[in-house]
Each structure stands twice: as C-alpha cells, then as structure tokens.
C-alpha cells in the first residue's frame, strides 16, 4: 500500500492483542481515508493463550499465528523493531530483521509494544532459565522436553535420568499453570513410546512465592486448578521461590535442591523497555495515559495494552491489569479514538468489566468462570476451547482440526532442531523473535542504554 501526501499517516507500533485490534478497527472506520502503517518484528499476530498447546505438541505453530497482511488488507506492514521514538519530531526509529535502520514519520501514533519476561535478581536465572512469551520459546521448549526424555530413556545413570526427567516451572500464574498442566500430559505421552528406567517417571514441579496457584484469579478457579494439577502428579509448592540456578539444578528458598536440566521462568511480565525512553510519565514502568488512551501533553499519541497504565474506571484509583482481555478491548478503543481525532466519529473512554477467565488444563480439563459462574472439569474445558475459537481472528477450522486429531491420534514426539537454547535467552526485549548467530540481541540492558536508563 503506497502512501499519499494529502492523507494523514497513522503509525501503530506492535501487533499484539492491542496493536492488531487497533489497526483492524482504525482500518474499518477510516475506509481508505488514512494511511495506516503497522510496525512489527514479525509478519503475524500471535494468539498467545494457546502457546502452551504448541509447546506440548497439541497444535502446530502456524495454528496460533494469523497473517497480518492477510487479516489487515488495507494496512501497510513494515517489518522491524522500534528502538527510539522522538515525540518532538514525530518519528519512530526502527531496525529491520536484517539490521538496517529505518524511520517512520507520523501524524498519529499508537504505542502497543506489549510486555516482555519479568526478571528477578536471582543468581543463575538469566543464564539457565527460559521464558515463555513467544513462538520461538514454545518451539524450543517442545524440542527440549522431547530431547530430555529421549536422553533419559537411553541413559544408564539413574541420577542423570531423574535430573533430565525433572521439569521446574517458576510462577503459578496463568501461564505457569497451563505450561505445567500441558507439559505433564506431553511427557506422559512421550514416555509411553520411550520407557524410562524402572521406578523413574517424569516429574513436574510448580513453584510460586504466593500462597496459592493463580493468585490473581478467583479462589474457586485456583482451587480447581490446584486439584487437577496435584491429581496428575504435579508437585505444587507455594510460598517457595528459587534461590539460585545452575546448569545442574536449582536451589529453593526452603533449602531443597532439585537436580534438573529444565527451568521455565513464568513469574510474570514487565512493560517493553522501549516506553521508558519516551520521556513521558510512567506508572510502574507502564506509560501513563488518560481514560481516552492519550499520552499527557501529546494528543497525537495513544498507548494501549500491557505497556500502558490505563485508569480503571470501574475501580477508582486503580489501573487495568496486564491481560489479553484488556489489551484486546483497549486496542478497539484506541482505533475509535484515533479515528475521532481525525474527524471520524466521537472519542470514547475505556471502561470494561471482566467477563471472567478461562484456564486450559489440558485434555478435557479446565477451570472457568464465565460471567462469574464457576465451572470445572469437561464443561470448563469445553467452554475454554469455545472461548478461544470465538476470540481468535483466524485459523479456527485448523485449530479445531488439530484438537480433533490430538483426541484420536498419538502426539508426534520428534525434535525439529529449529530453535537452539542460545537463540531464546531469558533476558531479551524481543521474545517474539529468535536471536540469530552474529546479530546483536536486544536485551534489557541494551534497550536501557539506548534510552539513557541505568
């Protein structure tokens, strides 16, 4: 799509839940009267809630991705990662996938850069743990888990076998619970074809400093998830954290040492470090905006999703949580308000009541509370999958077909070797892209250096 000099130019940075929805809404409202450019490191929208199923071999990777050019036909896609925004000059500087610099000028800007892995100052974690925020990390995890089971099955050393079959997940929030639930089923299916030494079984350990799993959700959802995990044999350790991580295992805060080759870091997320260098007010690392998603003193700039601190009009004095549910709806509001700033319609404030949450526990199990109604077991599992099919902006038939095949056929436990450990470091500001040999990675420290932060 070519640019026209007489039409306003809107740049949207990020194509996650917020950015994708903002682009789709704005494109529909402007109907060709505005040039819209979407800047994103990849050419797809990632439906993040189904990522644990990719790691567990239930879904093929492309099932959880939606082509941006196919879904957003009147939006120009620029492949690249923003590394500096100049609010005075109204420009966005970026680097493309081949390392070439570029710059986009804008009349309106929507910042929807999302979030990255949250790090804690625990010795060894950055070197030996892996996060779970992007497709490369899910592909790596699937290969890694498969490899550990295969190596354990061929090992003559019982201690090495046990270490390879021990999988530690840190963080019992939404992501950690689903990864542990699906991971346990995955390793169980692998062991059916690759029997281990007598007396050794895959061991999944889920840790969290909180007093219960899913601490941010309803207690009934938490109790359901805890019950399902424990029934399957997952060791749930609450009020426990990692004190130190090494190549051979992890030392826990209670003094216990777990020999393992797998440490998954799911302790939460933090806003993309890009927003720290913009020079506008922050709220716990998130860009502060008004109820209309405008950045103060810059009416041409909007922000939404995980990187924006949006006032929660349903809870006085609070800000909306960093969830996909909020990001999706904030993106729609941002699209409407950008269009209104161009004279198309009226702007609206963001107000949204939670409609409930769903947690996929693998197989036919789930936990859900749609509209506040608590559900568990197969019914919750069906509601959860139905919700995901309805929410996905594409690939519904392909996803449903994969679910059907998984129900009647054994999973394919093979290593593809496409993503190596060093290409998905935990300390990265780009979890959506795998690091390439010889290319500089965008780490937390590197991003801070570009913005002048310590």
């Amino acid at each position: 799509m070519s640019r026209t000099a007489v039409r306003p130019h809107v740049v949207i940075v990020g194509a996650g839940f917020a950015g994708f929805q903002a682009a789709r809404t704005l494109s529909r409202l402007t109907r060709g009267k505005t040039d819209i450019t979407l800047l994103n490191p990849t050419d797809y929208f990632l439906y993040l809630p189904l990522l644990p199923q990719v790691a567990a071999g239930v879904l093929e990777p492309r099932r959880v991705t939606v082509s941006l050019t196919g879904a957003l036909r009147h939006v120009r896609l620029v492949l690249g990662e923003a590394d500096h925004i100049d609010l005075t000059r109204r420009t966005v500087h970026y680097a493309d996938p081949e390392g070439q610099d570029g710059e986009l000028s804008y009349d309106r800007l929507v910042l929807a850069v999302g979030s990255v892995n949250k790090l804690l100052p625990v010795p060894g974690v950055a070197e030996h743990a892996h996060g779970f925020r992007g497709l490369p990390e899910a592909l790596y995890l699937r290969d890694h888990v498969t490899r550990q089971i295969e190596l354990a099955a061929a090992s003559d050393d019982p201690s090495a076998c046990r270490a390879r079959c021990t999988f530690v997940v840190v963080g019992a929030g939404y992501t950690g619970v689903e990864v542990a639930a699906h991971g346990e089923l995955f390793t169980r299916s692998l062991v059916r074809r690759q029997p281990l030494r007598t007396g050794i079984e895959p061991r999944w350990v889920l840790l969290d400093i909180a007093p219960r799993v899913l601490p941010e959700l309803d207690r009934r959802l938490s109790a359901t998830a805890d019950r399902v995990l424990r029934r399957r044999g997952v060791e749930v350790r609450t009020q426990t954290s990692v004190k130190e991580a090494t190549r051979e295992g992890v030392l826990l805060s209670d003094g216990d040492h777990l020999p393992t080759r797998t440490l998954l870091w799911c302790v939460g997320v933090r806003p993309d470090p890009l927003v720290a260098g913009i020079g506008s007010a922050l709220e716990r690392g998130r860009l502060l905006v008004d109820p209309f998603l405008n950045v103060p003193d810059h009416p041409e700039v909007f922000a939404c999703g995980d990187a924006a601190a949006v006032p929660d009009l349903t809870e006085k004095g609070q800000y909306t949580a960093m969830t996909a549910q909020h990001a999706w709806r904030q993106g729609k509001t941002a699209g409407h308000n950008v269009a209104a700033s161009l004279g198309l319609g009226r702007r609206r404030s963001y107000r949204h009541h939670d409609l409930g949450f769903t947690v996929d526990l693998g197989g036919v199990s789930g936990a859900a509370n749609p509209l506040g109604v608590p559900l568990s077991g197969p019914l919750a599992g069906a509601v959860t999958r139905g919700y995901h099919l309805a929410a996905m902006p594409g690939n519904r038939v392909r996803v449903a077909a994969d679910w059907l095949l998984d129900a009647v056929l054994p999973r394919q436990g093979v290593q593809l070797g496409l993503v190596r450990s060093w290409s998905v470091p935990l300390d990265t500001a780009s979890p959506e892209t795998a690091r390439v040999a010889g290319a500089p990675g965008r780490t937390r420290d590197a991003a801070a250096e570009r913005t002048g932060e310590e």
Side-chain angles (χ1 to χ4, degrees):
M1 188 180 73
S2 59
R3 285 215 41 211
T4 304
V6 297
R7 296 193 298 196
H9 185 209
V10 178
V11 173
I12 301 173
V13 183
F17 280 91
F20 179 88
Q21 184 70 314
R24 186 166 68 172
T25 301
L26 184 60
S27 176
R28 176 176 57 83
L29 293 175
T30 57
R31 298 180 181 275
K33 298 177 183 178
T34 302
D35 288 328
I36 306 171
T37 297
L38 179 61
L39 177 64
N40 197 59
T42 66
D43 64 354
Y44 59 80
F45 160 77
L46 174 65
Y47 190 75
L48 195 61
L50 291 182
L51 206 56
Q53 297 193 28
V54 173
V58 177
L59 296 176
E60 288 303 306
R62 284 186 295 179
R63 303 294 187 258
V64 299
T65 64
V66 176
S67 167
L68 294 175
T69 54
L72 305 172
R73 296 187 180 276
H74 301 292
V75 176
R76 173 187 175 221
L77 173 64
V78 173
L79 287 178
E81 187 171 7
D83 53 26
H84 179 66
I85 295 174
D86 190 327
L87 297 181
T88 302
R89 294 178 55 235
R90 295 193 179 188
T91 59
V92 177
H93 184 273
Y94 67 92
D96 71 16
E98 297 184 347
Q100 301 297 313
D101 292 338
E103 190 172 86
L104 297 169
S105 60
Y106 63 84
D107 298 298
R108 300 291 187 275
L109 174 66
V110 179
L111 289 171
V113 290
S115 55
V116 298
N117 293 314
K118 180 180 180 181
L119 298 180
L120 298 176
V122 179
V125 163
E127 294 81 10
H128 303 290
H130 289 283
F132 200 79
R133 290 292 300 166
L135 195 55
E137 292 170 321
L139 292 175
Y140 165 75
L141 179 58
R142 186 162 71 175
D143 271 6
H144 174 79
V145 170
T146 303
R147 181 167 59 253
Q148 295 309 306
I149 295 297
E150 291 173 347
L151 290 173
S155 176
D156 293 325
D157 183 353
S159 61
C161 182
R162 288 190 177 88
R164 293 190 182 281
C165 291
T166 300
F167 306 92
V168 180
V169 182
V170 185
Y174 188 92
T175 300
V177 165
E178 290 200 337
V179 167
H182 280 280
E184 193 279 333
L185 293 179
F186 183 42
T187 52
R188 188 189 304 174
S189 70
L190 292 174
V191 168
R192 290 194 189 104
R193 294 189 297 272
Q194 293 269 5
L196 302 174
R197 295 174 63 92
T198 303
I200 298 179
E201 296 289 340
R203 179 188 183 190
W204 284 81
V205 183
L206 180 62
L207 310 173
D208 202 296
I209 195 66
R212 60 185 176 93
V213 302
L214 299 174
E216 70 278 15
L217 300 185
D218 180 89
R219 285 188 175 274
R220 285 173 292 189
L221 285 181
S222 173
T224 298
D226 186 274
R227 184 172 60 253
V228 171
L229 291 171
R230 292 180 187 274
R231 186 171 64 235
R232 289 186 188 162
V234 176
E235 297 180 33
V236 179
R237 298 194 182 188
T238 57
Q239 296 182 310
T240 306
S241 61
V242 173
K243 188 175 181 180
E244 183 181 6
T246 66
R247 188 175 182 275
E248 289 74 29
V250 293
L251 177 63
L252 305 184
S253 58
D254 60 7
D256 195 7
H257 182 267
L258 299 178
T260 181
R261 302 291 187 272
T262 308
L263 179 59
L264 302 176
W265 195 253
C266 303
V267 298
V269 295
R270 59 187 173 89
D272 190 296
L274 175 71
V275 299
I278 292 177
S280 190
L282 300 177
E283 170 63 31
R284 296 186 179 181
R286 303 162 73 187
L287 198 60
L288 194 63
V289 297
D290 63 21
F292 299 97
L293 309 183
N294 269 126
V295 175
D297 301 323
H298 291 279
E300 77 284 358
V301 180
F302 301 79
C304 51
D306 287 356
V310 181
D312 190 343
L313 299 183
T314 67
E315 295 286 343
K316 188 175 181 180
Q318 302 296 315
Y319 296 93
T320 58
M322 297 168 68
T323 65
Q325 190 175 132
H326 279 301
W328 191 248
R329 288 163 177 79
Q330 287 171 10
K332 185 175 182 179
T333 300
H336 275 281
N337 289 348
V338 171
S341 74
L342 298 172
L344 301 172
R346 299 176 59 183
R347 69 175 187 164
R348 58 180 67 173
S349 60
Y350 177 74
R351 182 189 296 270
H352 171 66
H353 292 276
D354 286 334
L355 301 178
F357 290 90
T358 61
V359 183
D360 185 355
L361 298 174
V364 297
S365 297
N369 61 348
L371 301 177
V373 179
L375 301 175
S376 61
L379 179 58
V383 168
T384 297
R385 292 197 168 186
Y387 169 80
H388 288 316
L389 284 181
M392 288 191 70
N395 291 350
R396 295 187 181 95
V397 173
R398 290 186 173 94
V399 168
D402 272 7
W403 284 341
L404 177 61
L405 291 174
D406 182 67
V408 298
L409 296 175
R411 297 185 193 178
Q412 295 176 289
V414 297
Q415 299 180 57
L416 298 180
L418 299 178
V419 182
R420 310 305 295 177
S421 176
W422 57 264
S423 64
V424 283
L426 181 64
D427 190 4
T428 178
S430 307
E432 61 278 331
T433 57
R435 181 173 295 179
V436 179
R442 184 174 169 233
T443 65
R444 175 183 58 178
D445 294 335
E449 288 172 4
R450 278 191 289 274
T451 59
E453 298 290 330
E454 292 296 324

